[in-house]
C-alpha cells in the first residue's frame, strides 16, 4: 500500500453571504444565513457543529448538489452552478453501487473521455492508495464498512479533485477504524495537496485533520438560521500527535463553544 | 412389518459407509436429483389418479378420457402435421405480443417512474385501463383490427404490458436516493444516470415483472384464440370442445402448461444469471 496520492491542482473555495432557506412564506425554514468563508487552495477546513446546524447543507452547496437561496458559492473564482466537476464528495455512507466490484465502483468516479488504459491504471492506483488493491474484484457486500468507505474515498480521489468534500465520512465507522481513516485522509491530503472541506461533529477529528476549524452554530434568535460562530486556527504542522497538550486545551475550548462545559474535579 | 432384516437395516443406517454422502459435488447432484424427483411426485400421482378415475366407469370417455387417449391424440396431431402449426403460431403470437407489451411497459414505466409530472399526468389513466378485464378488449380489437394476427398480438401485448409497467414504475420510484445522489454528484444525469444507476438498481424487480408479464401474455393469448381464430392452441381448445374431442382438449391444456413453463424457465435462467451479480 502506498499512501501517496497524485498531486492535484488545488483550488480555493469562496462563500459570500450565503443563505439557504427551505420552503417559502410562513413555512420557510432558514437553515443558513450570511455565511462568509474563504478557503485557500490546499487548505483543510473543518466545519464543526452539532447535528442539524446546517453543516451538511453547506457542503452540498459547495458540491453543487444544492443551490443557495442567497449569496454566492465559488470554486477557483467561478460560480458553482450545478454539479461541480472540480469537486468530489465522500458521504457518511459509502454509497457504493452493489452490482459493481470495488474497482468498478472506483471507476465510477472517473470523468468521461479518459482512454481505457489510463482509466484502468488510475483505478488501480486509487485502490492502491487506500490499501484495497487485493480486493479490487470484491463486491461491496463482501467487505467491511471501513473497506467500503475507503473505496468511496478512492472513488473521489480518482477524479483528482481540486477540492475534496467530506461529509462526516468517518461517523459510521467503529472508533479504531475511524482513527486509521483519519490518518489515511491526512496522508492523502498532504501528498495530493487538495483543498479539503470536512464536515464533522467530532472535535478531536477536526483538531487532528484541519488547518482551521470553523464552528457553525444556530444564532441566539431562533429561526434566524446558523452562522459562523467561531473560527480557530489550529497550531502545529500535520501529522499531529493525538496526545499534544495544546490540542487538549483547544478541545476543551471548542467543546465549550458547542455547549459541552468542562467537568472539573471537585 | 416388525421383522427387521439385518441387511436392509444396515443399508438404511445413514452413517454406514454405503450411505455416507460422497464428495460435495456428488452430494449437490444428489440433492438436485432428489428435488427433481420430489417435484415430479405430484404430477405422477395426478396422472395415476386420473387414470383410475377415467377407468372407474364413473365418467364417459367424452367427459374424461384416459391419459393414454390424450397421448394418442398427441400422436394423431403430430402425424397429421397440425401440432407444430398450432404450437408455432401460438408461440409466435406470445413472443411478438410480449416483445411489444413488455417493451412499451419498460418505456412507459421508466418515464412514469422517473418523471413526477409524467406520473401525475398518466399514472391514474393507466391504472384505470388496467382495471378493464382482459376479455372486454376482445370485441373492440376485432372491430378495429379485424380477425388477422394483429388483434391477437395486441391482446397479448396488453396482457404483458401491465405487470412490466407496474413493477418498473414502482421500482424506479423506490431506487435508493443515496445512490441516485452519488450518481449526480459524480456527474451522471439523464440517460447516463438511468443506464448506470437506476436501471441496474431496478433490474431484479424488472425481471420478475417480465416473468409476470410473460405469464399474463399466455393468459391473454388463450382469451384471444378462444374467441376469434382458426389456428393455435386456444383454437384447439374451443374446436375440440365443439367436436367432442375431450382428449385433444386436455392435450391443449397440457401443451399450454408445458410451453408456459419452458418460456418462463428461459426468463428465469436469465434472471438467475443476472442476480448472481447482485449477491
Amino acid at each position: 500500500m502506498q499512501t501517496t496520492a497524485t498531486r492535484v491542482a488545488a483550488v480555493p473555495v469562496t462563500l459570500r453571504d450565503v443563505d439557504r432557506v427551505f420552503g417559502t412564506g410562513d413555512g420557510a425554514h432558514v437553515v443558513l444565513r450570511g455565511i462568509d468563508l474563504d478557503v485557500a487552495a490546499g487548505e483543510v477546513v473543518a466545519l464543526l457543529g452539532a447535528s442539524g446546524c446546517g453543516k451538511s447543507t453547506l457542503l452540498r452547496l459547495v458540491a453543487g448538489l444544492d443551490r443557495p437561496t442567497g449569496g454566492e458559492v465559488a470554486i477557483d473564482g467561478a460560480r458553482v452552478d450545478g454539479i461541480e466537476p472540480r469537486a468530489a464528495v465522500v458521504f457518511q455512507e459509502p454509497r457504493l453501487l452493489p452490482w459493481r466490484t470495488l474497482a468498478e465502483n472506483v471507476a465510477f468516479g472517473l470523468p468521461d473521455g479518459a482512454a481505457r488504459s489510463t482509466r484502468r491504471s488510475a483505478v488501480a492506483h486509487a485502490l492502491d492508495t487506500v490499501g484495497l488493491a487485493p480486493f479490487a474484484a470484491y463486491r461491496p457486500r463482501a467487505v467491511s464498512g471501513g473497506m467500503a468507505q475507503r473505496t468511496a474515498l478512492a472513488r473521489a480521489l480518482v477524479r483528482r479533485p481540486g477540492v475534496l468534500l467530506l461529509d462526516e465520512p468517518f461517523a459510521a465507522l467503529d472508533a479504531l477504524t475511524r482513527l486509521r481513516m483519519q490518518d489515511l485522509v491526512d496522508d492523502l491530503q498532504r501528498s495530493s495537496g487538495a483543498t479539503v472541506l470536512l464536515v464533522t461533529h467530532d472535535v478531536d477529528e477536526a483538531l487532528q485533520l484541519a488547518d482551521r476549524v470553523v464552528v457553525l452554530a444556530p444564532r441566539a434568535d431562533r429561526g434566524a438560521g446558523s452562522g459562523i460562530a467561531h473560527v480557530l486556527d489550529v497550531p502545529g504542522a500535520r501529522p499531529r500527535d493525538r496526545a499534544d497538550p495544546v490540542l487538549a486545551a483547544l478541545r476543551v475550548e471548542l467543546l465549550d463553544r458547542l455547549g459541552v462545559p468542562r467537568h472539573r474535579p471537585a | 412389518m416388525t421383522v427387521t432384516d439385518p441387511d436392509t437395516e444396515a443399508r438404511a443406517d445413514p452413517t454406514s459407509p454405503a450411505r455416507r454422502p460422497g464428495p460435495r459435488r456428488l452430494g449437490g447432484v444428489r440433492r438436485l436429483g432428489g428435488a427433481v424427483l420430489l417435484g415430479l411426485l405430484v404430477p405422477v400421482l395426478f396422472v395415476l389418479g386420473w387414470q383410475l378415475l377415467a377407468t372407474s366407469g364413473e365418467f364417459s370417455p367424452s367427459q374424461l378420457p384416459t391419459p393414454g387417449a390424450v397421448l394418442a391424440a398427441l400422436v394423431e396431431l403430430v402425424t397429421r402435421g397440425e401440432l407444430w402449426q398450432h404450437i408455432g403460431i401460438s408461440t409466435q403470437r406470445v413472443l411478438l405480443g410480449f416483445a411489444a407489451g413488455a417493451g412499451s411497459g419498460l418505456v412507459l414505466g421508466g418515464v412514469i417512474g422517473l418523471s413526477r409530472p409524467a406520473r401525475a399526468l398518466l399514472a391514474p389513466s393507466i391504472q384505470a385501463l388496467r382495471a378493464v378485464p382482459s376479455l372486454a378488449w376482445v370485441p373492440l380489437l376485432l372491430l378495429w383490427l379485424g380477425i388477422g394476427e394483429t388483434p391477437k398480438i395486441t391482446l397479448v401485448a396488453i396482457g404483458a404490458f401491465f405487470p412490466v409497467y407496474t413493477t418498473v414504475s414502482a421500482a424506479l420510484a423506490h431506487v435508493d436516493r443515496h445512490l441516485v445522489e452519488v450518481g449526480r454528484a459524480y456527474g451522471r444525469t439523464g440517460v447516463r444516470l438511468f443506464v448506470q444507476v437506476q436501471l441496474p438498481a431496478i433490474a431484479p424487480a424488472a425481471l420478475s415483472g417480465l416473468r409476470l408479464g410473460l405469464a399474463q401474455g399466455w393468459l391473454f393469448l388463450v382469451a384471444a384464440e378462444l374467441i376469434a381464430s382458426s389456428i393455435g392452441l386456444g383454437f384447439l381448445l374451443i374446436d375440440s370442445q365443439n367436436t367432442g374431442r375431450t382428449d385433444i382438449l386436455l392435450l391443449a391444456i397440457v401443451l399450454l402448461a408445458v410451453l408456459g413453463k419452458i418460456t418462463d424457465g428461459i426468463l428465469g435462467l436469465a434472471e438467475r444469471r443476472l442476480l448472481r451479480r447482485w449477491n
Side-chain angles (χ1 to χ4, degrees), chain A residues 60 65 83 88-89 91 93 95-100 104 108-110 112 139 141 152 155-156 159, chain B residues 177-179 181-189 192-193 196-198 200-202 276-279:
Chain A
R60 292 170 57 83
L65 284 168
I83 297 306
V89 196
F91 298 94
E93 318 80 18
R95 302 196 186 183
L96 303 177
L97 304 176
W99 53 88
R100 289 182 175 221
E104 287 163 351
F108 191 76
L110 280 170
D112 290 327
R139 292 200 188 279
R141 277 196 195 132
R155 177 177 61 191
R159 282 174 96 76
Chain B
R177 280 173 156 176
H178 279 170
L179 291 187
E181 192 178 59
V182 159
R184 289 213 300 130
Y186 284 86
R188 297 335 191 256
T189 51
R192 291 177 64 235
L193 183 68
Q196 295 186 18
V197 178
Q198 283 145 325
I202 65 155
R276 215 178 295 152
R277 301 206 71 188
W278 263 247
N279 301 312

Side-chain angles (χ1 to χ4, degrees), chain B residues 221-232:
Chain B
L221 169 86
V222 174
E225 288 184 343
L226 274 178
I227 289 163
S229 66
S230 54
I231 190 166

Side-chain angles (χ1 to χ4, degrees), chain A residues 85-244:
Chain A
R86 285 161 303 177
V89 196
V90 179
F91 298 94
Q92 184 175 335
E93 318 80 18
R95 302 196 186 183
L96 303 177
L97 304 176
W99 53 88
R100 289 182 175 221
T101 63
L102 298 194
E104 287 163 351
N105 266 289
V106 173
F108 191 76
L110 280 170
D112 290 327
R116 188 174 282 257
S117 59
T118 41
R119 289 174 78 90
R120 199 177 305 148
S121 68
V123 168
H125 179 70
L127 270 173
D128 196 29
T129 53
V130 298
L132 288 176
F135 300 95
Y138 280 54
R139 292 200 188 279
R141 277 196 195 132
V143 302
S144 70
M147 290 162 83
Q149 195 61 314
R150 261 145 67 200
T151 309
L153 187 61
R155 177 177 61 191
L157 291 172
V158 80
R159 282 174 96 76
R160 304 185 55 196
V163 49
L164 188 59
L165 304 171
L166 307 176
D167 189 1
E168 302 199 38
F170 319 125
L173 302 176
D174 69 84
L176 288 176
T177 309
R178 187 182 313 148
L179 295 184
R180 286 199 201 98
M181 281 290 284
Q182 288 170 2
D183 289 346
L184 176 64
V185 166
D186 198 17
D187 287 344
L188 293 174
Q189 192 280 328
R190 281 182 292 112
S191 55
S192 73
T195 311
V196 173
L197 257 175
L198 167 72
V199 161
T200 183
H201 57 243
D202 182 338
V203 171
D204 294 314
E205 186 168 291
L207 289 171
Q208 187 67 24
L209 295 179
D211 300 316
R212 200 149 51 110
V213 177
V214 172
V215 179
L216 215 58
R219 294 202 169 76
D221 171 20
R222 281 180 153 267
S226 293
I228 294 176
H230 185 66
V231 179
L232 173 88
D233 286 308
V234 185
R238 291 178 287 121
R240 300 197 178 101
D241 177 8
R242 287 198 163 85
D244 188 341

Side-chain angles (χ1 to χ4, degrees), chain B residues 104-124 126-127 161 164-177 180 193-194 198-199 202:
Chain B
S104 44
L106 276 174
V107 170
L108 214 57
V111 168
I112 282 169
L114 291 175
S115 152
R116 223 177 268 265
R119 192 180 322 157
L121 182 71
L122 298 173
I126 296 179
Q127 289 304 322
F161 170 82
V164 177
Y165 160 78
T166 311
T167 46
V168 166
S169 61
L172 270 178
H174 293 109
V175 170
D176 186 351
R177 280 173 156 176
V180 176
L193 183 68
F194 181 71
Q198 283 145 325
L199 190 62
I202 65 155

Side-chain angles (χ1 to χ4, degrees), chain B residues 246-277:
Chain B
T246 318
D247 50 347
I248 295 181
L249 200 159
L250 285 171
L251 175 69
I253 291 176
V254 172
L255 286 174
L256 281 169
V258 170
L259 283 175
K261 183 71 195 154
I262 288 174
T263 48
D264 182 63
I266 292 169
L267 264 187
L269 213 64
E271 188 179 18
R272 260 206 305 285
R273 290 193 68 161
L274 189 98
L275 289 189
R276 215 178 295 152
R277 301 206 71 188

Side-chain angles (χ1 to χ4, degrees), chain B residues 5-59:
Chain B
D5 179 343
D7 192 24
T8 51
E9 175 105 322
R11 247 186 281 136
D13 180 3
T15 58
S16 80
R19 266 293 174 114
R20 196 170 288 158
R24 243 189 124 91
R25 210 177 161 72
L26 204 68
V29 168
R30 196 175 289 169
R31 255 200 307 284
L32 190 71
V36 168
L37 282 181
L38 213 59
L40 283 175
L41 188 63
V42 172
V44 167
L45 286 178
F46 176 79
V47 172
L48 276 178
W50 172 9
Q51 174 73 27
L52 286 176
L53 267 182
T55 51
S56 66
E58 281 290 316
F59 304 97

